[in-house]
């Protein structure tokens, strides 16, 4: 069986050595030494000034929305994982969907301004599949209209834009370190900001608002993560370069060998060092994708229809017209990409894809 992804696992002895230290210290959670070490090492690896390690990527989004005190309407993308939309709604904000660019698959910056109303407080955009949004255009619009910007950078581990980590853009960027992501801590996530005040606020919020043992700075939540999760992060971080290199190799091999397949690929933003986290392909029609998916499944190959459905069609959001996202979400699938995928398996997937399209 060839699944779309497989979580990376480090050699078990390397994880165990961290776990033995936890047993020694008997410090299991609450900002322990491994959480601190992971935060420091991630800052160095990613070359970002600040970050906070949190429980998951969804809490990261909720902390960001809270810390920026967003209300009213948030302009967002219909082509993302559900947590982008649901986090905004969970924080009592209304998602206003702006359609995506058919090439980059990210929110179409040219359509943002016409969606701004006096109720708009922010733009919440996803760098889909690790491909940076039109950050310069979005930041310019935000400045002009006095809006905050949050980037859901859950797919972006290792992506750089104009020579800097893509995590360093926006008022706040968030990420997920879930087991399915390119770098993971089983469950986990982070918030990034260049603003020390915002960072302080989110640090309080992550830990119930505690300011010393008997004082509370603000309303908070339990957004912390544990020593066991940090241990997995530290064990995995050693392999981050290797994981990124392998993705790149797989991605380029697929692209080269799928040239004759009738499909479209994501257009990667200029000035980007891409992380090759996913390989989405767009097939000509929804019928074709169904046919090809069945054919692949019959050969025990399991791609994923990421992202389907388009979020503007959810039954708990207002109605918006996003024809591009609607059409893309019906025709997109992500091909198997993971650390353990062999060249025989990739060649098999490629062969079956051609056979399925001509079937
Ligand atoms: C994975 C993901 C999330 C959620 O992260 P969790 O760690 O699973 O909570 C949010 N947004 C996007 C785009 C994601 O892919």
């Amino acid at each position: 069986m060839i699944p779309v992804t497989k979580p990376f696992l480090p050699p078990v002895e390397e994880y165990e050595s961290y776990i033995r230290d936890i047993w020694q210290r008997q410090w299991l959670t609450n900002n322990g030494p491994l959480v601190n070490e992971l935060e420091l090492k991630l800052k160095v690896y990613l070359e970002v000034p600040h970050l906070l390690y949190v429980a998951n990527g969804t809490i990261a989004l909720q902390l960001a929305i809270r810390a920026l005190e967003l209300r009213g309407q948030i302009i967002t993308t219909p082509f993302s994982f559900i947590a982008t939309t649901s986090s905004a709604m969970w924080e009592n904000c209304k998602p206003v969907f702006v359609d995506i660019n058919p090439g980059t698959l990210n929110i179409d910056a040219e359509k943002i301004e016409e969606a701004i109303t006096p109720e708009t407080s922010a733009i919440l955009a996803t760098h889909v599949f690790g491909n940076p949004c039109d950050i310069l255009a979005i930041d310019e619009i935000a400045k002009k209209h006095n809006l905050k910007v949050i980037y859901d950078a859950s797919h972006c581990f290792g992506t750089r834009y104009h020579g800097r980590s893509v995590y360093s853009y926006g008022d706040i960027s968030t990420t997920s370190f879930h087991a399915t992501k390119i770098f993971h801590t089983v469950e986990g996530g982070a918030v990034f900001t260049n603003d020390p005040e915002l960072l302080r606020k989110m640090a309080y919020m992550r830990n119930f608002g505690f300011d010393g043992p008997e004082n509370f700075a603000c309303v908070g939540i339990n957004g912390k993560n544990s020593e066991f999760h940090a241990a997995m992060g530290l064990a995995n971080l050693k392999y981050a370069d290797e994981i990124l290199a392998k993705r790149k190799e797989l991605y380029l091999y697929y692209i080269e060998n799928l040239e004759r397949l009738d499909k479209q690929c994501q257009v990667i933003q200029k000035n980007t060092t891409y992380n090759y986290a996913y390989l989405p392909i767009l097939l000509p029609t929804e019928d074709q994708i169904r046919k090809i998916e069945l054919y692949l499944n019959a050969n025990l190959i399991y791609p994923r229809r990421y992202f389907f459905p388009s979020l503007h069609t959810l039954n708990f959001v207002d109605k918006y017209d996003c024809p591009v996202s609607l059409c893309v979400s019906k025709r997109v699938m992500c091909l198997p990409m993971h650390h353990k995928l062999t060249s025989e398996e990739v060649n098999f997937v490629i062969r079956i894809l051609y056979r399925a399209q001509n079937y």
Side-chain angles (χ1 to χ4, degrees), residues 27-193:
W27 188 344
L28 310 187
T29 187
N30 288 358
N31 209 23
L34 295 182
V35 164
N36 280 313
E37 189 182 337
L38 180 64
E39 285 183 339
L40 284 172
K41 288 203 166 139
L42 282 172
K43 263 191 250 185
V44 172
Y45 186 84
L46 299 165
E47 298 176 40
V48 292
H50 308 291
L51 74 97
L52 293 170
Y53 179 49
V54 299
N56 56 62
T58 306
I59 275 286
L61 283 165
Q62 286 168 219
L63 285 172
I65 293 166
R66 280 271 169 162
L68 292 168
E69 296 173 25
L70 303 186
R71 45 182 61 93
Q73 300 174 343
I74 297 181
I75 289 176
T76 190
T77 173
F79 191 65
S80 183
F81 182 59
I82 180 127
T84 317
T85 292
S86 59
S87 301
M89 296 184 81
W90 196 262
E91 296 302 331
N92 289 317
C93 295
K94 211 179 232 292
V96 170
F97 293 100
V98 165
D99 210 354
I100 58 171
N101 176 292
T104 65
L105 310 182
N106 287 320
I107 193 166
D108 189 341
E110 284 180 16
K111 294 189 179 136
I112 291 177
E113 269 195 301
E114 62 202 54
I116 295 173
T117 74
E119 300 289 300
T120 310
S121 62
I123 300 165
L124 167 55
T126 303
H127 304 305
V128 171
F129 303 131
N131 185 27
C133 293
D134 194 348
I135 291 176
L136 302 183
I138 290 174
D139 284 1
E140 197 172 305
I141 294 164
K143 273 208 192 78
K144 183 170 155 198
H145 295 272
N146 200 20
L147 304 176
K148 302 292 183 191
V149 179
I150 300 173
Y151 288 113
D152 182 343
S154 291
H155 303 161
C156 293
F157 190 89
T159 295
R160 296 171 72 86
Y161 182 63
H162 280 285
R164 270 159 58 190
S165 168
V166 81
Y167 291 145
S168 64
Y169 292 90
D171 290 288
I172 300 176
S173 276
T174 68
T175 200
S176 165
F177 300 140
H178 183 258
T180 54
K181 308 296 201 249
I182 196 163
F183 166 81
H184 80 88
T185 68
V186 187
E187 292 276 355
V191 288
F192 301 83
T193 178

Side-chain angles (χ1 to χ4, degrees), residues 175-248:
T175 200
S176 165
F177 300 140
H178 183 258
T180 54
K181 308 296 201 249
I182 196 163
F183 166 81
H184 80 88
T185 68
V186 187
E187 292 276 355
V191 288
F192 301 83
T193 178
N194 300 325
D195 177 343
E197 261 318 295
L198 271 178
L199 189 83
R200 241 164 62 91
K201 200 166 166 187
M202 290 191 287
Y204 283 130
M205 288 178 159
R206 167 178 72 163
N207 189 27
F208 307 100
F210 268 118
D211 182 16
E214 293 169 359
N215 277 309
F216 297 93
C218 58
V219 177
I221 195 166
N222 184 358
K224 295 177 270 104
N225 214 331
S226 81
E227 291 290 280
F228 292 81
H229 292 87
M232 182 62 88
L234 286 164
N236 284 346
L237 192 56
K238 236 180 91 182
Y239 298 92
D241 284 342
E242 188 183 315
I243 294 166
L244 288 165
K246 171 81 180 182
R247 289 289 167 119
K248 180 174 182 179

